[in-house]
Amino acid sequence: MSRRQARAGHAQPSGDTVGRPTDAGTWTLPNLISFVRLLGVPLFLYLFLVVEADVAAIVVLAIGGTTDWVDGWVARRLRQVSRLGELLDPFADRLYILATLLAFTAREVVPWQFTAALLARELLLLAALVVLRRHGYGPPPVHYVGKTATFLLLAAFPILLLATTTPGVATAAGAVGWGLAWWGLVLYWVAGFFYVVQAAHLVRARRAGATA
């Protein structure tokens, strides 16, 4: 978070995201794209866990991961940035990651330790959000490190699944997939640290203003 964003947050602890944009409404094209991405989560779980159609599951994962940037790009191009969109985009990303991790752990595509490391980061962020909400702030703006981590993880998942379902490319796909996954995990925690620091600064500023 930049100092400019932090100053904006100190001035407007209104319960919404710091630096709230002009709201373009609910039924915008970028928001519809986010809703469609959300529908991909139960579809993936059904294909992967119920009918075990792994190839189709890979396709759904790949589409969900590669379209991560589309809703944000469309919102900026069409000037349809909205409060709902700012919440939907990271929510869809997080839901994809968590659902995929739990499904992968259930079928032993990834070890439980990897899933536990990512879940621990989510619990840390949840605690920070609870503290922010208690002091009148909403979720902080998405950091570029967090977006990079999300992109790496969403790119890694279909490749890891490909490595387990296609013996001919297992070695190469496994190396690439795990390289992306571990870098994604590290950056995910780095972004989590940034969010916690950001939350701490906002809370301290709010307390200082209350006692002044």
Side-chain angles (χ1 to χ4, degrees), residues 95-162:
L95 190 60
Y96 258 101
I97 290 173
L98 294 179
T100 304
L101 277 175
L102 294 176
F104 276 16
T105 304
R107 287 190 50 185
E108 299 183 347
V109 176
V110 299
W112 66 265
Q113 293 91 339
F114 187 86
T115 301
L118 276 173
L119 291 178
R121 186 268 192 187
E122 292 300 319
L123 291 175
L124 175 67
L125 188 58
L126 178 61
L129 291 177
V130 170
V131 173
L132 282 174
R133 179 60 66 181
R134 185 174 299 173
H135 287 82
Y137 293 99
V142 177
H143 196 279
Y144 74 92
V145 176
K147 290 297 292 183
T148 302
T150 298
F151 173 79
L152 291 174
L153 290 171
L154 292 177
F157 292 151
I159 299 175
L160 290 174
L161 183 53
L162 181 66

Side-chain angles (χ1 to χ4, degrees), residues 111 113-114 117 153 156 177-187:
Q113 293 91 339
F114 187 86
L153 290 171
W178 278 113
L180 293 171
W182 284 115
W183 271 110
L185 175 62
V186 170
L187 291 180

